[in-house]
Coordinates of all heavy atoms in Angstrom, one line a residue:
M1500 N 0.8 -1.2 0.0 CA 0.0 0.0 0.0 C 0.9 1.3 0.0 O 0.6 2.2 -0.7 CB -0.9 0.0 1.2 CG -2.2 -0.7 0.9 SD -3.1 -0.1 -0.5 CE -4.4 -1.3 -0.7
N1501 N 2.0 1.3 0.8 CA 2.9 2.4 0.8 C 3.4 2.7 -0.6 O 3.6 3.9 -0.9 CB 4.0 2.2 1.8 CG 3.5 2.4 3.2 OD1 2.5 2.9 3.4 ND2 4.3 1.9 4.2
W1502 N 3.7 1.6 -1.3 CA 4.2 1.8 -2.7 C 3.2 2.6 -3.5 O 3.7 3.4 -4.3 CB 4.5 0.4 -3.3 CG 5.9 0.1 -3.2 CD1 6.5 -0.7 -2.2 CD2 6.9 0.5 -4.0 NE1 7.8 -0.8 -2.5 CE2 8.1 0.0 -3.6 CE3 7.0 1.4 -5.1 CZ2 9.4 0.2 -4.1 CZ3 8.2 1.6 -5.8 CH2 9.4 1.1 -5.2
I1503 N 2.0 2.3 -3.4 CA 1.0 3.0 -4.2 C 0.9 4.5 -3.9 O 1.0 5.4 -4.7 CB -0.4 2.4 -4.1 CG1 -0.4 0.9 -4.5 CG2 -1.5 3.2 -4.9 CD1 -1.6 0.2 -4.1
I1504 N 0.9 4.8 -2.6 CA 0.7 6.2 -2.1 C 2.0 7.0 -2.4 O 1.9 8.0 -3.1 CB 0.5 6.2 -0.6 CG1 -0.9 5.5 -0.3 CG2 0.5 7.6 -0.1 CD1 -1.0 5.1 1.2
F1505 N 3.2 6.5 -2.0 CA 4.4 7.3 -2.2 C 4.8 7.3 -3.7 O 5.3 8.3 -4.2 CB 5.5 6.8 -1.4 CG 5.4 7.0 0.1 CD1 5.1 6.0 1.0 CD2 5.4 8.3 0.6 CE1 4.9 6.2 2.3 CE2 5.1 8.6 1.9 CZ 4.9 7.5 2.8
G1506 N 4.6 6.2 -4.4 CA 4.8 6.2 -5.8 C 4.0 7.1 -6.6 O 4.5 7.8 -7.5
T1507 N 2.7 7.2 -6.2 CA 1.8 8.1 -7.0 C 2.2 9.6 -6.7 O 2.3 10.4 -7.7 CB 0.3 7.9 -6.5 OG1 0.0 6.5 -6.7 CG2 -0.6 8.7 -7.4
I1508 N 2.5 9.9 -5.5 CA 3.0 11.3 -5.1 C 4.3 11.6 -5.9 O 4.4 12.7 -6.5 CB 3.2 11.5 -3.6 CG1 1.9 11.4 -2.9 CG2 3.9 12.8 -3.3 CD1 2.0 11.2 -1.4
G1509 N 5.2 10.7 -5.9 CA 6.5 10.8 -6.7 C 6.2 11.0 -8.1 O 6.8 11.9 -8.8
A1510 N 5.3 10.2 -8.7 CA 5.0 10.3 -10.1 C 4.4 11.6 -10.5 O 4.7 12.2 -11.5 CB 4.1 9.1 -10.5
I1511 N 3.5 12.1 -9.6 CA 2.9 13.4 -9.9 C 3.9 14.6 -9.8 O 3.9 15.4 -10.7 CB 1.7 13.7 -8.9 CG1 0.6 12.7 -9.1 CG2 1.2 15.2 -8.9 CD1 -0.5 12.6 -8.0
L1512 N 4.8 14.5 -8.8 CA 5.9 15.5 -8.7 C 6.8 15.5 -9.9 O 7.2 16.5 -10.4 CB 6.7 15.3 -7.4 CG 5.9 15.6 -6.1 CD1 6.8 15.3 -4.9 CD2 5.5 17.1 -6.0
L1513 N 7.1 14.3 -10.4 CA 8.0 14.2 -11.5 C 7.4 14.7 -12.8 O 8.1 15.2 -13.7 CB 8.4 12.7 -11.8 CG 9.4 12.1 -10.8 CD1 9.5 10.6 -11.0 CD2 10.8 12.7 -11.0
C1514 N 6.0 14.7 -12.9 CA 5.3 15.3 -14.0 C 5.6 16.8 -14.2 O 5.4 17.3 -15.3 CB 3.8 15.0 -13.9 SG 3.4 13.2 -14.3
F1515 N 6.0 17.5 -13.1 CA 6.2 18.9 -13.2 C 7.6 19.2 -13.9 O 7.8 20.3 -14.3 CB 6.2 19.6 -11.9 CG 4.8 19.6 -11.3 CD1 4.3 18.8 -10.4 CD2 3.9 20.6 -11.8 CE1 3.0 18.9 -9.9 CE2 2.6 20.7 -11.4 CZ 2.1 19.8 -10.4
I1516 N 8.4 18.2 -14.0 CA 9.7 18.3 -14.7 C 9.5 18.0 -16.2 O 9.1 16.9 -16.5 CB 10.8 17.4 -14.1 CG1 10.9 17.6 -12.6 CG2 12.1 17.7 -14.8 CD1 11.7 16.5 -11.9
P1517 N 9.7 18.9 -17.1 CA 9.4 18.7 -18.5 C 10.2 17.5 -19.1 O 11.4 17.4 -18.8 CB 9.7 20.0 -19.2 CG 9.6 21.0 -18.2 CD 10.1 20.3 -16.9
V1518 N 9.7 16.7 -20.0 CA 10.2 15.6 -20.7 C 10.9 14.6 -19.9 O 10.4 13.5 -19.8 CB 11.2 16.2 -21.9 CG1 11.5 15.0 -22.8 CG2 10.5 17.3 -22.7
L1519 N 12.1 14.9 -19.3 CA 12.8 13.9 -18.5 C 11.9 13.4 -17.3 O 11.9 12.2 -17.1 CB 14.1 14.5 -18.0 CG 15.0 13.5 -17.2 CD1 15.5 12.4 -18.0 CD2 16.1 14.2 -16.5
G1520 N 11.3 14.3 -16.7 CA 10.4 14.0 -15.5 C 9.2 13.1 -16.0 O 8.8 12.2 -15.2
W1521 N 8.7 13.3 -17.2 CA 7.6 12.6 -17.7 C 8.0 11.1 -17.9 O 7.2 10.2 -17.5 CB 7.1 13.1 -19.0 CG 6.6 14.6 -18.9 CD1 6.2 15.2 -17.7 CD2 6.4 15.5 -19.9 NE1 5.8 16.5 -18.0 CE2 6.0 16.7 -19.4 CE3 6.7 15.5 -21.3 CZ2 5.7 17.9 -20.1 CZ3 6.4 16.6 -22.1 CH2 5.9 17.8 -21.5
F1522 N 9.2 10.9 -18.4 CA 9.6 9.5 -18.6 C 9.9 8.9 -17.2 O 9.6 7.7 -17.1 CB 10.9 9.5 -19.5 CG 10.7 9.7 -20.9 CD1 11.0 10.9 -21.5 CD2 10.0 8.7 -21.7 CE1 10.7 11.1 -22.9 CE2 9.8 8.9 -23.0 CZ 10.1 10.1 -23.6
L1523 N 10.5 9.6 -16.3 CA 10.7 9.1 -15.0 C 9.4 8.7 -14.3 O 9.3 7.7 -13.6 CB 11.5 10.0 -14.1 CG 13.0 10.2 -14.5 CD1 13.6 11.3 -13.7 CD2 13.8 8.9 -14.3
A1524 N 8.4 9.6 -14.5 CA 7.1 9.3 -13.9 C 6.4 8.1 -14.5 O 5.9 7.3 -13.7 CB 6.1 10.5 -14.1
L1525 N 6.6 7.9 -15.8 CA 6.1 6.7 -16.4 C 6.8 5.4 -15.9 O 6.1 4.4 -15.6 CB 6.3 6.8 -17.9 CG 5.4 6.0 -18.9 CD1 4.0 6.4 -18.8 CD2 5.9 6.1 -20.3
G1526 N 8.1 5.5 -15.7 CA 8.9 4.4 -15.1 C 8.4 4.2 -13.7 O 8.3 3.0 -13.3
M1527 N 8.1 5.2 -13.0 CA 7.7 5.1 -11.6 C 6.3 4.4 -11.6 O 6.1 3.5 -10.7 CB 7.5 6.5 -11.0 CG 7.1 6.5 -9.5 SD 8.5 6.3 -8.4 CE 9.0 8.0 -8.1
V1528 N 5.4 4.7 -12.5 CA 4.1 4.0 -12.5 C 4.2 2.5 -12.8 O 3.6 1.7 -12.1 CB 3.2 4.7 -13.6 CG1 1.9 3.9 -13.8 CG2 2.8 6.1 -13.1
F1529 N 5.2 2.2 -13.7 CA 5.4 0.8 -14.0 C 6.0 0.1 -12.8 O 5.6 -1.1 -12.6 CB 6.3 0.6 -15.3 CG 5.5 0.8 -16.6 CD1 5.7 1.8 -17.4 CD2 4.5 -0.2 -16.9 CE1 5.0 2.0 -18.6 CE2 3.8 0.0 -18.1 CZ 4.1 1.0 -18.9
A1530 N 6.9 0.7 -12.1 CA 7.5 0.2 -10.9 C 6.5 -0.1 -9.9 O 6.5 -1.2 -9.2 CB 8.6 1.1 -10.4
I1531 N 5.5 0.8 -9.7 CA 4.4 0.6 -8.7 C 3.6 -0.6 -9.1 O 3.3 -1.4 -8.3 CB 3.6 1.9 -8.6 CG1 4.4 3.1 -8.1 CG2 2.4 1.7 -7.7 CD1 3.7 4.4 -8.4
L1532 N 3.2 -0.6 -10.4 CA 2.3 -1.7 -10.8 C 3.0 -3.1 -10.7 O 2.4 -4.0 -10.2 CB 2.0 -1.5 -12.3 CG 1.0 -0.3 -12.6 CD1 0.8 -0.2 -14.1 CD2 -0.3 -0.5 -11.9
Y1533 N 4.4 -3.1 -10.9 CA 5.1 -4.3 -10.8 C 5.2 -4.7 -9.3 O 5.0 -5.9 -9.0 CB 6.5 -4.2 -11.4 CG 7.3 -5.4 -11.3 CD1 7.1 -6.5 -12.2 CD2 8.3 -5.5 -10.3 CE1 7.9 -7.6 -12.0 CE2 9.1 -6.7 -10.2 CZ 8.8 -7.7 -11.1 OH 9.5 -8.9 -10.9
K1534 N 5.5 -3.7 -8.5 CA 5.7 -4.0 -7.0 C 4.3 -4.5 -6.5 O 4.3 -5.3 -5.6 CB 6.1 -2.8 -6.3 CG 7.6 -2.5 -6.4 CD 8.4 -3.3 -5.4 CE 9.9 -3.1 -5.5 NZ 10.7 -3.9 -4.6
T1535 N 3.2 -3.9 -7.0 CA 1.9 -4.2 -6.4 C 1.3 -5.5 -6.9 O 0.8 -6.3 -6.2 CB 1.0 -3.0 -6.7 OG1 1.6 -1.8 -6.4 CG2 -0.3 -3.2 -5.9
F1536 N 1.4 -5.7 -8.2 CA 0.8 -6.8 -8.8 C 1.7 -7.9 -9.4 O 1.3 -9.0 -9.7 CB -0.2 -6.3 -10.0 CG -1.2 -5.3 -9.5 CD1 -1.1 -4.0 -9.9 CD2 -2.3 -5.7 -8.7 CE1 -2.0 -3.1 -9.4 CE2 -3.2 -4.8 -8.3 CZ -3.1 -3.5 -8.7
G1537 N 3.0 -7.5 -9.6 CA 3.9 -8.4 -10.3 C 4.0 -9.8 -9.7 O 3.9 -10.8 -10.4
F1538 N 4.3 -9.9 -8.4 CA 4.5 -11.2 -7.8 C 3.2 -12.0 -7.7 O 3.2 -13.2 -7.8 CB 5.2 -11.0 -6.5 CG 6.6 -10.6 -6.6 CD1 7.0 -9.3 -6.3 CD2 7.6 -11.4 -7.1 CE1 8.3 -8.8 -6.4 CE2 8.9 -11.0 -7.2 CZ 9.3 -9.7 -6.9
R1539 N 2.1 -11.3 -7.5 CA 0.8 -12.0 -7.3 C 0.4 -12.7 -8.6 O -0.2 -13.7 -8.5 CB -0.2 -11.0 -6.9 CG -0.9 -11.3 -5.5 CD -1.7 -10.2 -5.0 NE -1.0 -9.3 -4.2 CZ -1.5 -8.1 -3.8 NH1 -2.7 -7.7 -4.1 NH2 -0.7 -7.3 -3.0
D1540 N 0.8 -12.1 -9.7 CA 0.4 -12.8 -11.0 C 1.2 -14.0 -11.2 O 0.7 -14.9 -11.8 CB 0.7 -11.8 -12.1 CG -0.4 -10.8 -12.2 OD1 -1.5 -11.0 -11.6 OD2 -0.2 -9.7 -12.8
T1541 N 2.5 -14.1 -10.7 CA 3.3 -15.2 -11.0 C 3.2 -16.3 -10.0 O 3.2 -17.5 -10.3 CB 4.8 -14.8 -11.2 OG1 5.1 -14.0 -10.1 CG2 5.0 -14.1 -12.5
F1542 N 3.0 -15.9 -8.7 CA 3.0 -17.0 -7.7 C 1.9 -16.6 -6.6 O 1.8 -15.5 -6.1 CB 4.3 -17.1 -7.0 CG 5.2 -18.2 -7.7 CD1 6.2 -17.8 -8.6 CD2 5.0 -19.5 -7.5 CE1 6.9 -18.7 -9.3 CE2 5.8 -20.4 -8.1 CZ 6.7 -20.0 -9.0
L1543 N 1.2 -17.7 -6.2 CA 0.4 -17.6 -5.1 C 1.0 -18.3 -3.9 O 1.9 -19.1 -4.2 CB -1.0 -18.3 -5.4 CG -1.9 -17.8 -6.4 CD1 -3.0 -18.8 -6.8 CD2 -2.5 -16.5 -6.0
V1544 N 0.6 -18.1 -2.7 CA 1.1 -18.9 -1.6 C -0.2 -19.6 -1.0 O -1.2 -18.9 -0.7 CB 1.8 -18.1 -0.6 CG1 2.2 -18.9 0.6 CG2 3.1 -17.5 -1.2
G1545 N -0.1 -20.9 -0.9 CA -1.2 -21.6 -0.3 C -0.6 -22.7 0.6 O 0.5 -23.0 0.5
S1546 N -1.5 -23.2 1.5 CA -1.0 -24.3 2.3 C -1.6 -25.6 1.8 O -2.7 -25.7 1.3 CB -1.3 -24.1 3.8 OG -2.6 -23.5 3.9
C1547 N -0.7 -26.7 1.8 CA -1.1 -28.0 1.4 C -2.3 -28.5 2.2 O -2.2 -28.5 3.4 CB 0.1 -28.9 1.5 SG -0.3 -30.6 1.2
P1548 N -3.4 -28.9 1.6 CA -4.5 -29.3 2.3 C -4.3 -30.7 3.1 O -5.0 -31.0 4.0 CB -5.6 -29.5 1.3 CG -5.0 -29.6 0.0 CD -3.6 -28.9 0.1
A1549 N -3.2 -31.4 2.7 CA -2.9 -32.6 3.4 C -2.0 -32.5 4.6 O -2.3 -33.0 5.6 CB -2.3 -33.6 2.4
C1550 N -0.9 -31.7 4.4 CA 0.0 -31.6 5.5 C 0.2 -30.2 6.0 O 1.0 -29.9 6.9 CB 1.4 -32.1 5.0 SG 2.2 -31.1 3.8
T1551 N -0.6 -29.2 5.5 CA -0.7 -27.8 5.9 C 0.6 -27.1 5.7 O 0.8 -26.0 6.3 CB -1.2 -27.6 7.4 OG1 -0.2 -28.1 8.3 CG2 -2.5 -28.4 7.6
K1552 N 1.6 -27.7 5.0 CA 2.8 -26.9 4.7 C 2.6 -25.8 3.7 O 1.8 -26.0 2.7 CB 3.8 -28.0 4.1 CG 5.0 -27.4 3.4 CD 6.1 -27.1 4.5 CE 7.3 -26.5 3.7 NZ 8.3 -25.9 4.6
T1553 N 3.1 -24.6 4.0 CA 2.9 -23.5 3.1 C 3.8 -23.6 1.8 O 5.0 -23.9 1.9 CB 3.3 -22.2 3.8 OG1 2.5 -22.0 4.9 CG2 3.0 -21.0 2.9
L1554 N 3.1 -23.5 0.7 CA 3.8 -23.8 -0.6 C 3.6 -22.6 -1.6 O 2.6 -22.0 -1.6 CB 3.2 -25.0 -1.3 CG 3.2 -26.3 -0.5 CD1 2.2 -27.3 -1.1 CD2 4.5 -26.9 -0.4
P1555 N 4.7 -22.3 -2.4 CA 4.4 -21.4 -3.5 C 3.7 -22.1 -4.6 O 4.0 -23.2 -4.9 CB 5.9 -21.0 -3.9 CG 6.7 -22.1 -3.5 CD 6.1 -22.8 -2.3
V1556 N 2.7 -21.5 -5.1 CA 1.8 -22.2 -6.1 C 1.8 -21.3 -7.4 O 1.5 -20.1 -7.4 CB 0.4 -22.3 -5.6 CG1 -0.5 -23.0 -6.7 CG2 0.4 -23.1 -4.4
D1557 N 2.2 -21.9 -8.5 CA 2.1 -21.3 -9.8 C 0.6 -21.4 -10.3 O 0.1 -22.5 -10.5 CB 3.0 -22.0 -10.8 CG 3.1 -21.2 -12.1 OD1 2.2 -20.4 -12.4 OD2 4.0 -21.5 -12.9
P1558 N -0.1 -20.2 -10.4 CA -1.5 -20.3 -10.7 C -1.8 -20.8 -12.2 O -2.9 -21.1 -12.5 CB -2.0 -18.9 -10.6 CG -0.8 -18.0 -10.6 CD 0.3 -18.9 -10.1
K1559 N -0.7 -20.9 -13.0 CA -0.9 -21.4 -14.3 C -1.0 -22.9 -14.3 O -1.5 -23.5 -15.3 CB 0.3 -20.9 -15.2 CG 0.3 -19.5 -15.5 CD 1.4 -19.1 -16.4 CE 1.6 -17.5 -16.4 NZ 2.3 -17.1 -15.2
T1560 N -0.5 -23.6 -13.3 CA -0.6 -25.0 -13.3 C -2.0 -25.4 -12.7 O -2.5 -24.7 -11.9 CB 0.5 -25.7 -12.4 OG1 0.5 -25.1 -11.1 CG2 1.9 -25.5 -13.0
D1561 N -2.5 -26.6 -13.2 CA -3.8 -27.1 -12.7 C -3.6 -28.0 -11.5 O -4.3 -28.0 -10.5 CB -4.5 -27.8 -13.8 CG -4.8 -26.9 -15.0 OD1 -5.1 -25.7 -14.7 OD2 -4.8 -27.4 -16.1
V1562 N -2.5 -28.8 -11.6 CA -2.3 -29.9 -10.7 C -0.8 -30.0 -10.4 O 0.0 -29.9 -11.3 CB -2.9 -31.3 -11.2 CG1 -2.4 -32.4 -10.3 CG2 -4.4 -31.2 -11.3
F1563 N -0.4 -30.2 -9.1 CA 1.0 -30.4 -8.8 C 1.1 -31.3 -7.6 O 0.1 -31.5 -6.9 CB 1.7 -29.1 -8.6 CG 1.3 -28.4 -7.3 CD1 2.1 -28.5 -6.2 CD2 0.1 -27.6 -7.2 CE1 1.7 -27.8 -5.0 CE2 -0.2 -27.0 -6.1 CZ 0.5 -27.1 -4.9
A1564 N 2.3 -31.9 -7.4 CA 2.5 -32.7 -6.2 C 3.1 -32.0 -5.1 O 4.1 -31.2 -5.4 CB 3.3 -33.9 -6.6
C1565 N 2.7 -32.1 -3.9 CA 3.3 -31.5 -2.8 C 4.7 -32.1 -2.5 O 4.8 -33.3 -2.5 CB 2.4 -31.7 -1.5 SG 3.2 -31.1 0.0
P1566 N 5.7 -31.2 -2.4 CA 7.1 -31.7 -2.3 C 7.3 -32.3 -0.9 O 8.3 -33.0 -0.7 CB 7.9 -30.5 -2.5 CG 7.1 -29.3 -2.2 CD 5.7 -29.7 -2.6
V1567 N 6.4 -32.1 0.1 CA 6.6 -32.6 1.4 C 5.9 -33.9 1.6 O 6.5 -34.9 2.1 CB 6.1 -31.5 2.4 CG1 6.2 -32.0 3.9 CG2 6.7 -30.2 2.2
C1568 N 4.6 -34.0 1.2 CA 3.9 -35.2 1.5 C 3.5 -36.0 0.3 O 2.9 -37.0 0.3 CB 2.7 -34.9 2.4 SG 1.4 -33.9 1.5
N1569 N 3.9 -35.4 -1.0 CA 3.6 -36.1 -2.2 C 2.1 -36.2 -2.5 O 1.8 -37.0 -3.4 CB 4.3 -37.4 -2.3 CG 5.8 -37.3 -2.5 OD1 6.2 -36.4 -3.2 ND2 6.6 -38.1 -1.8
S1570 N 1.3 -35.5 -1.9 CA -0.2 -35.5 -2.2 C -0.3 -34.8 -3.5 O 0.4 -33.8 -3.9 CB -1.0 -34.8 -1.2 OG -0.9 -35.5 0.0
V1571 N -1.3 -35.2 -4.4 CA -1.6 -34.5 -5.6 C -2.6 -33.4 -5.3 O -3.7 -33.7 -4.7 CB -2.1 -35.5 -6.7 CG1 -2.4 -34.7 -8.0 CG2 -1.0 -36.5 -7.0
I1572 N -2.3 -32.2 -5.6 CA -3.1 -31.0 -5.3 C -3.6 -30.3 -6.5 O -2.8 -30.0 -7.4 CB -2.3 -30.1 -4.3 CG1 -1.9 -30.8 -3.1 CG2 -3.2 -28.8 -4.0 CD1 -0.7 -30.2 -2.5
A1573 N -4.9 -30.0 -6.6 CA -5.5 -29.3 -7.7 C -5.6 -27.8 -7.3 O -5.9 -27.5 -6.2 CB -6.9 -29.8 -8.0
V1574 N -5.2 -26.9 -8.3 CA -5.3 -25.5 -8.0 C -6.5 -25.0 -8.7 O -6.7 -25.2 -9.9 CB -4.1 -24.8 -8.6 CG1 -4.1 -23.3 -8.4 CG2 -2.8 -25.4 -8.1
G1575 N -7.4 -24.4 -8.0 CA -8.6 -23.9 -8.6 C -9.2 -22.7 -7.8 O -9.3 -22.7 -6.6
E1576 N -9.5 -21.5 -8.5 CA -10.1 -20.3 -8.0 C -9.4 -19.9 -6.7 O -10.0 -19.5 -5.7 CB -11.6 -20.6 -7.7 CG -12.2 -21.3 -8.8 CD -13.5 -20.5 -9.2 OE1 -14.0 -19.7 -8.5 OE2 -14.0 -20.8 -10.4
G1577 N -8.0 -19.9 -6.7 CA -7.3 -19.4 -5.5 C -7.2 -20.3 -4.3 O -6.7 -20.0 -3.3
R1578 N -7.8 -21.5 -4.4 CA -7.7 -22.5 -3.3 C -7.2 -23.8 -3.8 O -7.3 -24.2 -5.0 CB -9.0 -22.6 -2.6 CG -10.3 -22.8 -3.4 CD -11.5 -22.5 -2.5 NE -11.6 -23.5 -1.4 CZ -12.4 -24.6 -1.5 NH1 -13.2 -24.8 -2.6 NH2 -12.5 -25.4 -0.6
L1579 N -6.7 -24.6 -2.8 CA -6.0 -25.9 -3.1 C -6.9 -27.0 -2.6 O -7.4 -26.9 -1.5 CB -4.7 -25.9 -2.5 CG -3.7 -24.8 -2.9 CD1 -2.4 -24.9 -2.1 CD2 -3.4 -24.8 -4.3
T1580 N -7.0 -28.0 -3.4 CA -7.8 -29.2 -3.0 C -7.0 -30.5 -3.3 O -6.3 -30.5 -4.3 CB -9.2 -29.3 -3.6 OG1 -9.0 -29.1 -5.0 CG2 -10.1 -28.2 -3.1
I1581 N -7.2 -31.5 -2.5 CA -6.5 -32.8 -2.7 C -7.2 -33.5 -3.8 O -8.4 -33.5 -3.9 CB -6.5 -33.6 -1.4 CG1 -5.9 -32.8 -0.2 CG2 -5.8 -34.9 -1.6 CD1 -6.0 -33.5 1.1
V1582 N -6.4 -34.1 -4.7 CA -6.9 -35.0 -5.7 C -6.7 -36.4 -5.3 O -5.5 -36.8 -5.0 CB -6.2 -34.7 -7.1 CG1 -6.7 -35.7 -8.1 CG2 -6.5 -33.3 -7.5
K1583 N -7.7 -37.2 -5.1 CA -7.6 -38.6 -4.7 C -7.4 -39.4 -6.0 O -8.2 -39.4 -6.9 CB -8.8 -39.0 -3.9 CG -8.9 -38.4 -2.6 CD -9.8 -39.2 -1.6 CE -9.6 -38.7 -0.2 NZ -10.1 -37.3 0.0
L1584 N -6.3 -40.1 -6.0 CA -6.0 -40.9 -7.2 C -6.6 -42.3 -7.2 O -6.7 -42.9 -8.3 CB -4.4 -41.0 -7.4 CG -3.7 -39.7 -7.7 CD1 -2.2 -39.9 -7.6 CD2 -4.2 -39.0 -9.0
D1585 N -6.9 -42.8 -6.1 CA -7.4 -44.2 -6.1 C -8.9 -44.3 -6.2 O -9.6 -43.3 -6.0 CB -6.9 -45.0 -4.8 CG -7.2 -44.2 -3.5 OD1 -7.7 -43.0 -3.6 OD2 -7.0 -44.7 -2.4
Ligands
ZN66 ZN1 1.7 -31.7 1.6

């Protein structure tokens, strides 16, 4: 949240500097967006429903195996569920 507030103020102040400031402001906006949303898009953090170990989860994958207990876990709508294979 601090990144959004201070970054926005910084970007607005940079806009008062002609040309160079505008480019810096644009870079600042991208930096804020990356800091705010960048990691959330690539990785989620969830806990394994079988062993409750906290795991980094790639939201692009549908199914993965827990490295701790080897349970097969399905990724769906931001939550993790166990897939029973038998
Ligand atoms: Zn597990």
Side-chain angles (χ1 to χ4, degrees):
M1500 274 303 170
N1501 284 345
W1502 260 98
I1503 300 170
I1504 296 160
F1505 290 114
T1507 306
I1508 292 165
I1511 290 165
L1512 290 175
L1513 284 169
C1514 285
F1515 288 103
I1516 307 165
V1518 190
L1519 181 66
W1521 299 340
F1522 283 108
L1523 289 173
L1525 202 65
M1527 184 83 92
V1528 169
F1529 279 114
I1531 297 161
L1532 291 175
Y1533 181 77
K1534 281 276 179 187
T1535 312
F1536 302 108
F1538 290 107
R1539 239 170 270 171
D1540 283 342
T1541 48
F1542 271 99
L1543 296 167
V1544 174
S1546 36
C1547 172
C1550 67
T1551 68
K1552 167 84 178 163
T1553 302
L1554 305 166
V1556 180
D1557 186 344
K1559 292 183 194 76
T1560 55
D1561 297 328
V1562 171
F1563 69 100
C1565 173
V1567 180
C1568 65
N1569 287 320
S1570 296
V1571 179
I1572 299 155
V1574 182
E1576 314 231 343
R1578 46 194 296 260
L1579 304 176
T1580 48
I1581 302 173
V1582 176
K1583 291 201 167 70
L1584 294 175
D1585 51 353

